[in-house]
């Protein structure tokens, strides 16, 4: 008997694996169905109190913004749900792709809508839906009805039972599993009837615009775009500052940073990119300060400039892509020295991550291939051969005194000549 149980378990496991593979193959066919709506699921927003509507309204606004140009869509809140209804033809893949970039969404359910709220119509529509989605395959299912329209004469449990019975009669190869079904068929009865059984994973987080605004120090590397993405995921609106060093760095390096900002803006919304000409400040530091302190002193002035721009643009914090110990300027001692010039909080979402973890996220959000393009945004002549890894703040400040005759004018010039570029997901130079 034990051996029979083992064989049964193995066979059932194989069947489930085969069915999942079938669902993957069937995915492209499903996209051909005429989904008239999407049910949007969220997680954290549901834990909010009396201000929950603020998060829901912001999420609706973000959804509309992301779907702009893909067709006509109506986005509305209804009894703890958000529905996106197509009012014109649209491309399924494009719409789902954009919805996956909206922070605050954890699930995107493509929905078949039935206008007639009558049981016979629901039964017929359900049978058609299951046939179109899954054909004649053998699998387990469960019906999960939700009756928000109290005028409908049947209760949820009765709907579950009756629809399940009809499906078993129509498709004898199906079986019911109320605990771990292969397919969970959801039926929501409101002013209309909504059928869905599939959920696309969303980005999670909170809607952008619900948690203030911050200034991202954006470079052409791997880390800072990831940092911007991660903070934006917490509902923070982004602006960015980039430190340019012509003629020591090329226009391709500048374009690379714009391209990275455009990719991140696909998640965060449009980004105002502030491009600072930093060359004269770097040259002054190179000429007047100890070379082993070049990196830390340059970093301090970058933070000062970024903070000034942030305050002018009503940002509440700075964001960097620093990770403890990754390079000399990111040791605990170095971070303490750079923090000293800031009065705004500095957020470092990558601080406890190793390089591979950061790379994994960059690949997930499609910034990696752009980040590794060979267009450096920091000229090698400004990089110390043997940088100090444990800078002492008092010593760094004494070194900065050597700049006292020129630095105020250089900082003013850098701030007065900032170039501002409004970057959006479709940005091209």
């Amino acid at each position: 008997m034990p051996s029979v149980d083992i064989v049964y378990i193995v066979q059932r496991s194989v069947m489930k694996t085969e069915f999942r593979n079938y669902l993957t193959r069937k995915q492209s066919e499903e996209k051909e169905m005429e989904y008239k709506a999407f049910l949007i699921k969220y997680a954290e927003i549901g834990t909010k109190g009396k201000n929950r509507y603020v998060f829901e309204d912001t999420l609706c606004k973000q959804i509309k913004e992301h779907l702009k140009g893909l067709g006509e869509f109506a986005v509305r809140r209804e009894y703890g749900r958000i529905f996106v209804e197509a009012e014109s033809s649209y491309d399924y893949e494009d719409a789902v792709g954009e919805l996956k970039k909206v922070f605050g969404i954890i699930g995107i359910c493509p929905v078949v809508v039935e206008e007639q709220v009558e049981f016979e119509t629901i039964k017929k529509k359900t049978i058609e839906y299951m046939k179109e989605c899954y054909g004649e395959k053998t699998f387990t299912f469960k019906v999960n009805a939700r009756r928000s329209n109290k005028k409908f004469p049947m209760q949820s449990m009765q709907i579950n039972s009756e629809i399940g019975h009809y499906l078993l009669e129509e498709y004898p190869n199906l079986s019911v599993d109320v605990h771990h079904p292969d397919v969970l068929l959801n039926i929501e009865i409101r002013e209309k009837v909504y059928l869905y059984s599939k959920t696309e994973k969303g980005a999670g987080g909170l809607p952008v615009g619900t948690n203030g605004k911050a200034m991202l120090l954006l470079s052409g590397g791997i880390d800072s775009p990831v940092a911007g993405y991660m903070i934006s995921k917490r509902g923070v609106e982004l602006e960015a500052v980039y430190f340019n060093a012509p003629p020591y760095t090329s226009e391709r390096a500048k374009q690379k940073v714009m391209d990275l900002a455009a990719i991140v803006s696909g998640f965060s919304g449009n980004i105002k990119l502030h491009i600072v000409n930093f060359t004269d400040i770097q040259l002054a530091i190179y000429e007047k300060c100890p070379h082993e302190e070049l990196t830390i002193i340059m970093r301090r002035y970058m933070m000062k400039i970024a903070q000034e721009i942030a305050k002018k643009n009503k940002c509440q914090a700075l964001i960097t892509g620093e990770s403890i110990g990754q390079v000399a300027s990111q040791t605990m001692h170095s971070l303490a020295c750079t923090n000293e010039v800031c009065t705004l909080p500095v957020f470092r979402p990558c601080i406890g991550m190793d390089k591979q973890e950061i790379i994994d996220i960059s690949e997930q959000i499609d910034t990696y291939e752009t980040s590794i393009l060979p267009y450096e945004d920091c000229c090698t002549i400004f990089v110390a051969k043997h940088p100090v890894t444990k800078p002492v703040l008092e010593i760094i400040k004494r070194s900065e005194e050597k700049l006292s005759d020129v630095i105020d004018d250089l900082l003013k010039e850098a701030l007065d000549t900032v170039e501002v570029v409004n970057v959006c997901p479709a940005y091209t130079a």
Side-chain angles (χ1 to χ4, degrees):
M1 181 64 70
S3 61
V4 174
D5 289 343
I6 292 170
V7 170
Y8 171 77
I9 292 169
V10 171
Q11 287 177 337
R12 186 165 179 78
S13 176
V14 170
M15 286 174 62
K16 281 183 173 288
T17 301
E18 289 177 348
F19 182 72
R20 290 191 189 99
N21 292 337
Y22 162 74
L23 289 182
T24 301
R25 292 193 304 271
K26 193 71 177 170
Q27 193 173 29
S28 60
E29 296 175 25
E30 286 186 48
K31 291 171 185 174
E32 295 176 4
M33 292 184 63
E34 191 178 0
Y35 291 115
K36 294 289 184 69
F38 296 96
L39 169 64
I40 303 301
K41 293 182 177 181
Y42 52 72
E44 284 187 71
I45 294 175
T47 67
K48 302 302 177 184
K50 292 181 180 179
N51 66 340
R52 174 171 162 175
Y53 75 94
V54 174
F55 291 84
E56 290 179 331
D57 286 347
T58 304
L59 180 55
C60 290
K61 180 181 176 182
Q62 291 293 322
I63 290 170
K64 290 176 184 177
E65 187 64 30
H66 277 260
L67 293 177
K68 188 184 297 182
L70 299 181
E72 297 295 325
F73 296 90
V75 182
R76 58 186 173 81
R77 294 189 291 130
E78 183 181 321
Y79 308 118
R81 292 281 198 270
I82 291 178
F83 285 97
V84 178
E85 295 189 325
E87 298 181 331
S88 68
S89 60
Y90 71 98
D91 184 275
Y92 176 90
E93 287 189 6
D94 289 346
V96 171
E98 282 302 313
L99 290 171
K100 285 182 177 181
K101 294 180 179 180
V102 180
F103 292 131
I105 295 176
I106 63 162
I108 305 150
C109 305
V111 174
V112 170
V113 181
E114 174 54 53
E115 300 281 344
Q116 295 184 23
V117 188
E118 297 175 356
F119 183 71
E120 286 301 315
T121 305
I122 295 171
K123 180 183 72 173
K124 181 179 177 183
K125 197 72 175 181
T126 301
I127 290 171
E128 291 175 356
Y129 174 84
M130 294 295 278
K131 183 175 182 179
E132 281 197 64
C133 282
Y134 307 109
E136 302 294 333
K137 292 292 181 179
T138 299
F139 57 88
T140 62
F141 75 98
K142 175 185 176 181
V143 180
N144 180 37
R146 176 170 173 163
R147 184 190 63 139
S148 297
N149 183 350
K150 301 307 179 184
K151 294 179 181 179
F152 192 76
M154 300 171 66
Q155 295 185 349
S156 297
M157 291 300 293
Q158 187 181 1
I159 298 167
N160 292 340
S161 177
E162 293 294 329
I163 293 294
H165 174 73
Y166 283 118
L167 286 173
L168 290 172
E169 280 191 341
E170 186 73 19
Y171 305 115
N173 52 324
L174 301 186
S175 59
V176 174
D177 183 342
V178 296
H179 299 296
H180 304 289
D182 294 319
V183 173
L184 178 62
L185 174 61
N186 295 280
I187 304 173
E188 296 215 5
I189 300 175
R190 299 171 179 268
E191 297 305 313
K192 301 176 185 177
V193 179
Y194 301 91
L195 301 176
Y196 62 96
S197 63
K198 171 185 166 187
T199 301
E200 300 271 5
K201 186 178 179 181
L206 292 169
V208 174
T210 56
N211 272 319
K213 183 166 64 170
M215 182 66 67
L216 170 66
L217 278 75
L218 182 62
S219 73
I222 297 171
D223 304 339
S224 58
V226 170
Y229 164 85
M230 292 175 70
I231 290 295
S232 182
K233 187 174 180 177
R234 301 309 306 157
V236 178
E237 184 182 347
L238 293 183
E239 292 197 18
V241 58
Y242 166 61
F243 294 90
N244 198 20
Y248 301 100
T249 55
S250 68
E251 281 296 309
R252 297 296 296 272
K254 177 179 170 182
Q255 180 60 50
K256 175 183 171 182
V257 172
M258 291 182 183
D259 292 342
L260 287 170
I263 296 170
V264 174
S265 75
F267 300 91
S268 69
N270 295 356
I271 294 175
K272 186 191 291 185
L273 177 62
H274 306 264
I275 302 172
V276 178
N277 188 338
F278 199 59
T279 308
D280 291 342
I281 295 174
Q282 285 182 298
L283 286 171
I285 296 170
Y286 184 80
E287 291 170 3
K288 295 175 178 287
C289 297
H291 282 198
E292 67 271 15
E293 298 172 1
L294 287 177
T295 303
I296 191 68
I297 293 174
M298 283 192 289
R299 192 69 180 165
R300 280 166 60 87
Y301 282 107
M302 285 179 175
M303 298 293 273
K304 285 182 179 181
I305 292 170
Q307 179 168 262
E308 284 301 310
I309 297 172
K311 287 180 176 179
K312 287 179 182 177
N313 289 273
K314 298 183 176 164
C315 296
Q316 290 83 45
L318 302 178
I319 309 166
T320 76
E322 292 160 318
S323 169
I324 290 179
Q326 190 174 130
V327 294
S329 64
Q330 297 176 21
T331 64
M332 289 290 284
H333 299 76
S334 297
L335 293 174
C337 279
T338 55
N339 267 18
E340 191 270 341
V341 303
C342 299
T343 56
L344 289 179
V346 181
F347 297 151
R348 297 179 171 96
C350 302
I351 196 71
M353 301 170 69
D354 64 34
K355 195 65 178 183
Q356 189 56 54
E357 290 172 316
I358 298 171
I359 288 172
D360 289 345
I361 296 175
S362 73
E363 290 177 333
Q364 173 193 328
I365 64 175
D366 293 327
T367 56
Y368 180 73
E369 293 300 328
T370 303
S371 291
I372 63 173
L373 291 174
Y375 309 122
E376 297 294 337
D377 60 358
C378 182
C379 183
T380 54
I381 72 166
F382 298 124
V383 178
K385 291 182 180 179
H386 303 288
V388 60
T389 57
K390 295 182 179 180
V392 177
L393 182 58
E394 291 73 18
I395 295 175
I396 295 297
K397 285 185 172 182
R398 283 201 297 271
S399 297
E400 289 177 346
E401 289 175 3
K402 299 173 184 179
L403 298 166
S404 59
D405 59 331
V406 296
I407 196 63
D408 288 344
D409 289 339
L410 292 176
L411 287 173
K412 184 177 185 302
E413 177 69 14
L415 288 167
D416 288 345
T417 58
V418 171
E419 177 188 357
V420 179
V421 179
N422 291 307
V423 181
C424 62
Y427 173 84
T428 54

